[in-house]
Amino acid sequence: DEIHRSNTGENHNEMISLFDELQNVFDEEGKKSPKTNKKNLIIGFTATPSQNILARFGEYYRGENLNQLWKPFDAYTMKEAINDGYILDPTEHIIPVPAKMYYEIPNLNLIYKSGDDEERKYGVRKDLIYGNKERVDAISDFIVNRLLSLVYGKIRGTGKAMLAVSSIPIAIEYCKTIRGKMETKLNTGRYDNYRNAPISIVYSDRQDVPKSKSLNYNASEEKVISDFKAAKNGLIIVVDKLQTGFDEPKLHTLFLDKEIRDINAIQTISRVNRTVKYKEDCHIIDLSHNNVNILNIREAFKIYCDMVISDMEPMTIKVIIERIYKTLTFEVLFKKWFDTYQGSLLNSTGNTNLVMSMEEDFRRWITDALKRKQAESEKELESTSKNEIADTDDDALKLKKLINEYFHTITLINGIIEIDAKYQDLDFIDFWKRFIYVYDNLYGKNRNNTITINVIYDDDLGLVVASETSETEGGGSNQKGKKKQQSGSDPLAIINKLNESEKQKGEKIEEWRKYIYDLFDFLKTDEKLIAKINTPDHFTREELYKEFKKTLRKFLRKANDPIKRKFFEELKIH
């Protein structure tokens, strides 16, 4: 059950191994022939199947859209469950509450670290916005008022609510602020019926924050959840916990002061869709910055709540893993250090000194890679500044991106198909993790040496306009926190950028052309198809297309190159 989160990685592999071991015992006791090799059937249940989960547990799907490869063996969709009355529709009452109605976000005069990209800068701004104490105070006022005026009166006076926030410190701030404001309201004597309604908080303990138990009057997490369920009314504040699998039918309202998307959006807002007597609806109150959750939730429900069909192609991913692995084993650092490093793990003596020497060599290589890139840039365009011409990654950044792609792809395919053990070798993975660690210590996690040249074509004249983004000295921004635009980049840099782009396009076009010619050559060998094409008066367009699809499927089955097969599947031929 819950295979979207409980049967991946090591847990999944251990489960498969356990079933295999049990089957071996049954075979031995029943004295079955080894040739029988009967295996147990494993069925997984999930309300939110991701693409890799479908590829792991689903069945192969061959439909009109060749890009769709996997579907659930059986599905009872959320849409069907809503229509049948088993659950409520959580998207029916999504209520956006713009924070500026209660609190105007001030201009953020931020000083960013040198090398921060836009994603990182957005993350910094977002943390400051959601964690702003004035904002928390204003939204807490809104939550307390809505609890007392609306939520607690729902479900014949037994309504409850959940507040989901983006971090533990913010959750703690909300807990203290809401409790204080609620106490003030209760002291007026108008809301005595709600005096016993708990304001609880649940999160995973860590060293840099107070233990959640200390904020819940020394009650354990189990006791907090149990008391919340037993109470007539109440509010529970969460960060990541209880957003999946938590079942309290009288949970009527979800306050969202965090950004959710994709499967996480489905799981989170589904906390309030349970049915119970007298519960007629459920509310999602979106407090996120710019109310981004409205679009995110609707997009997620569009994808997942009818039926997900995956386009994951495991064999293509396997080829990618093999290709990257081969590239990594040919890297100079790997050849120089890996055998020695792996051998040292078998004997701990001297291991620390070896690792220190190896990491120091990594630092030199990474630094030299940047210097080489800068030297090449200066030689190529002596009259142009380094920043303007650094439009490609240096060798160290390229290697870091390749390693990260390898780690991501290995995780994606784990448990879907079997791959050689060497690709998941712990020493191999740890070796390259050390490279990432050294790189991030030198330059940070988001360093990117590249500059973006935006090229805009005038419809009539074909004019090119280039712009770059620059920051004030010290890596900061201007006073309003906005980017400063500069135009008039060096024309030669623009031309080089365009030439490089066109060359890559040309190579890709030639590759595609060859694939298309291969398909045409195969179509010519199908005499039945050719005969029908040559006698169009006797066959409808639909009949010709049906015959063509049969031949196309044969072609895809016989295609030895997974990349080629993926190309045609993504064409979505109609």
Side-chain angles (χ1 to χ4, degrees):
D1 195 12
E2 304 283 18
I3 56 170
H4 57 269
R5 61 187 173 91
S6 64
N7 281 302
T8 56
E10 292 182 10
N11 197 8
H12 172 80
N13 293 333
E14 288 176 6
M15 181 188 69
I16 299 295
S17 298
L18 176 60
F19 273 74
D20 287 344
E21 290 170 11
L22 287 172
Q23 187 61 56
N24 290 335
V25 172
F26 295 149
D27 288 347
E28 289 171 7
E29 291 181 353
K31 298 180 179 179
K32 284 186 175 284
S33 167
K35 292 182 180 179
T36 305
N37 199 28
K38 179 182 179 297
K39 294 296 178 185
N40 286 286
L41 173 66
I42 300 174
I43 299 175
F45 296 89
T46 176
T48 48
S50 63
Q51 292 203 24
N52 61 323
I53 288 296
L54 277 175
R56 182 178 292 125
F57 285 93
E59 63 177 347
Y60 183 71
Y61 174 70
R62 186 182 296 164
E64 294 249 336
N65 186 350
L66 296 173
N67 196 42
Q68 297 172 337
L69 300 177
W70 308 96
K71 70 172 184 178
F73 175 74
D74 186 43
Y76 182 70
T77 67
M78 182 178 285
K79 185 176 180 181
E80 291 175 302
I82 291 170
N83 292 337
D84 291 343
Y86 291 116
I87 57 174
L88 299 171
D89 182 359
T91 66
E92 189 174 355
H93 299 287
I94 302 179
I95 305 164
V97 178
K100 64 182 179 181
M101 289 176 61
Y102 303 94
Y103 163 73
E104 189 67 40
I105 295 168
N107 290 328
L108 299 174
N109 299 319
L110 303 179
I111 302 298
Y112 300 113
K113 293 180 181 179
S114 178
D116 279 354
D117 61 14
E118 271 309 302
E119 184 177 350
R120 174 60 185 157
K121 290 175 185 176
Y122 174 70
V124 171
R125 292 195 297 271
K126 189 170 70 173
D127 289 344
L128 291 176
I129 291 169
Y130 283 98
N132 186 285
K133 290 191 176 182
E134 292 179 32
R135 182 179 185 278
V136 169
D137 187 78
I139 291 177
S140 296
D141 263 332
F142 168 80
I143 291 174
V144 169
N145 288 331
R146 192 172 183 92
L147 288 173
L148 296 174
S149 65
L150 182 68
V151 178
Y152 286 172
K154 289 288 185 176
I155 320 176
R156 295 285 181 96
T158 61
K160 301 174 188 178
M162 174 183 285
L163 167 61
V165 301
S166 57
S167 73
I168 294 175
I170 293 174
I172 294 172
E173 188 66 27
Y174 265 119
C175 183
K176 294 176 179 177
T177 306
I178 290 174
R179 281 176 177 171
K181 292 181 180 297
M182 184 63 77
E183 188 63 30
T184 300
K185 290 281 187 181
L186 293 174
N187 288 339
T188 64
R190 295 175 55 194
Y191 304 102
D192 285 341
N193 288 342
Y194 305 131
R195 185 163 293 280
N196 295 325
I199 307 293
S200 308
I201 182 170
V202 174
Y203 58 82
S204 299
D205 290 336
R206 65 187 199 202
Q207 289 184 343
D208 60 330
V209 293
K211 290 185 179 296
S212 59
K213 189 175 182 179
S214 67
L215 294 164
N216 289 312
Y217 312 107
N218 288 322
S220 67
E221 182 177 302
E222 292 77 12
K223 183 76 164 56
V224 167
I225 295 172
S226 174
D227 288 349
F228 178 76
K229 288 186 174 184
K232 183 179 178 182
N233 306 107
L235 172 73
I236 192 162
I237 303 169
V238 301
V239 181
D240 289 318
K241 282 193 170 186
L242 306 190
Q243 288 175 227
T244 63
F246 179 64
D247 188 11
E248 169 47 47
K250 292 183 179 180
L251 200 60
H252 174 274
T253 298
L254 171 66
F255 297 100
L256 272 178
D257 194 36
K258 65 186 297 185
E259 296 174 17
I260 57 174
R261 56 181 54 82
D262 201 56
I263 286 179
N264 182 248
I266 306 292
Q267 294 169 334
T268 301
I269 74 169
S270 293
R271 295 314 97 212
V272 296
N273 71 355
R274 306 299 196 268
T275 57
V276 70
K277 192 175 182 180
Y278 305 124
K279 185 177 180 181
E280 298 173 351
D281 58 11
C282 54
H283 290 175
I284 308 296
I285 310 297
D286 180 28
L287 301 160
S288 64
H289 182 49
N290 292 331
N291 300 117
V292 296
N293 286 330
I294 300 294
L295 180 61
N296 290 348
I297 291 170
R298 298 204 186 282
E299 283 296 314
F301 269 75
K302 187 189 302 181
I303 295 172
Y304 291 102
C305 292
D306 245 324
M307 184 176 73
V308 176
I309 298 177
S310 170
D311 62 355
M312 176 176 283
E313 174 48 89
M315 296 310 296
T316 301
I317 298 176
K318 184 179 179 182
V319 170
I320 293 171
I321 289 173
E322 292 168 350
R323 188 178 298 164
I324 298 177
Y325 179 86
K326 185 176 180 180
T327 302
L328 291 177
T329 57
F330 276 96
E331 287 292 334
V332 61
L333 293 175
F334 184 86
K335 290 182 176 180
K336 181 177 180 180
W337 286 102
F338 182 71
D339 287 343
T340 309
Y341 172 70
Q342 190 176 39
S344 72
L345 295 177
L346 302 175
N347 183 1
S348 59
T349 46
N351 184 44
T352 303
N353 291 333
L354 181 135
V355 170
M356 290 176 64
S357 299
M358 182 178 75
E359 291 184 354
E360 182 58 35
D361 193 41
F362 286 179
R363 290 187 190 91
R364 284 194 298 269
W365 187 87
I366 293 168
T367 305
D368 290 345
L370 180 58
K371 290 179 181 177
R372 286 195 303 272
K373 178 61 187 174
Q374 291 172 336
E376 290 171 7
S377 300
E378 290 172 352
K379 186 177 180 181
E380 183 181 354
L381 287 173
E382 295 180 358
S383 61
T384 308
S385 71
K386 296 175 186 176
N387 286 334
E388 286 180 310
I389 62 173
D391 56 356
T392 57
D393 298 334
D394 59 70
D395 292 339
L397 187 52
K398 286 178 183 176
L399 181 55
K400 179 192 174 183
K401 289 180 177 179
L402 190 67
I403 296 167
N404 281 332
E405 182 184 357
Y406 184 81
F407 290 163
H408 170 75
T409 312
I410 283 287
T411 303
L412 189 67
I413 204 172
N414 189 25
I416 297 177
I417 59 172
E418 290 187 10
I419 57 175
D420 195 300
K422 69 180 181 181
Y423 298 122
Q424 301 183 76
D425 178 68
L426 295 179
D427 296 343
F428 180 83
I429 290 173
D430 185 65
F431 178 84
W432 288 117
K433 278 184 178 179
R434 289 184 181 275
F435 177 88
I436 297 289
Y437 170 78
V438 172
Y439 186 99
D440 288 345
N441 277 342
L442 279 172
Y443 296 115
K445 294 184 178 181
N446 293 292
R447 173 190 161 257
N448 194 331
N449 255 0
T450 63
I451 181 173
T452 301
I453 298 180
N454 299 314
V455 182
I456 304 170
Y457 295 93
D458 181 272
D459 289 339
D460 298 319
L461 303 177
L463 297 178
V464 178
V465 179
S467 65
E468 65 169 333
T469 302
S470 68
E471 298 173 348
T472 58
E473 288 183 11
S477 62
N478 62 3
Q479 289 185 348
K480 293 185 178 181
K482 296 181 179 178
K483 294 179 185 177
K484 187 177 178 181
Q485 297 293 327
Q486 295 180 348
S487 60
S489 297
D490 183 73
L492 187 55
I494 297 171
I495 292 170
N496 288 337
K497 178 80 174 178
L498 291 173
N499 286 342
E500 181 185 344
S501 176
E502 289 303 310
K503 181 182 177 183
Q504 292 173 351
K505 287 180 184 176
E507 291 171 352
K508 187 59 68 176
I509 288 170
E510 284 302 316
E511 182 183 358
W512 292 348
R513 191 200 307 272
K514 183 179 181 304
Y515 291 163
I516 296 295
Y517 283 168
D518 288 347
L519 173 61
F520 285 157
D521 290 340
F522 186 84
L523 294 176
K524 292 175 185 176
T525 65
D526 191 317
E527 296 179 358
K528 187 176 180 181
L529 173 64
I530 298 300
K532 286 187 175 183
I533 291 174
N534 289 334
T535 53
D537 294 340
H538 294 80
F539 301 97
T540 65
R541 183 181 181 86
E542 289 72 23
E543 288 173 324
L544 289 173
Y545 179 55
K546 186 176 180 180
E547 194 64 40
F548 164 73
K549 286 199 296 183
K550 289 181 183 177
T551 308
L552 179 60
R553 286 196 291 266
K554 287 183 200 172
F555 172 75
L556 294 177
R557 283 198 301 270
K558 293 184 178 181
N560 294 323
D561 183 356
I563 307 297
K564 180 197 291 187
R565 190 163 62 247
K566 186 69 173 175
F567 165 75
F568 284 105
E569 288 161 354
E570 290 177 347
L571 278 182
K572 300 181 180 178
I573 300 172
H574 298 289

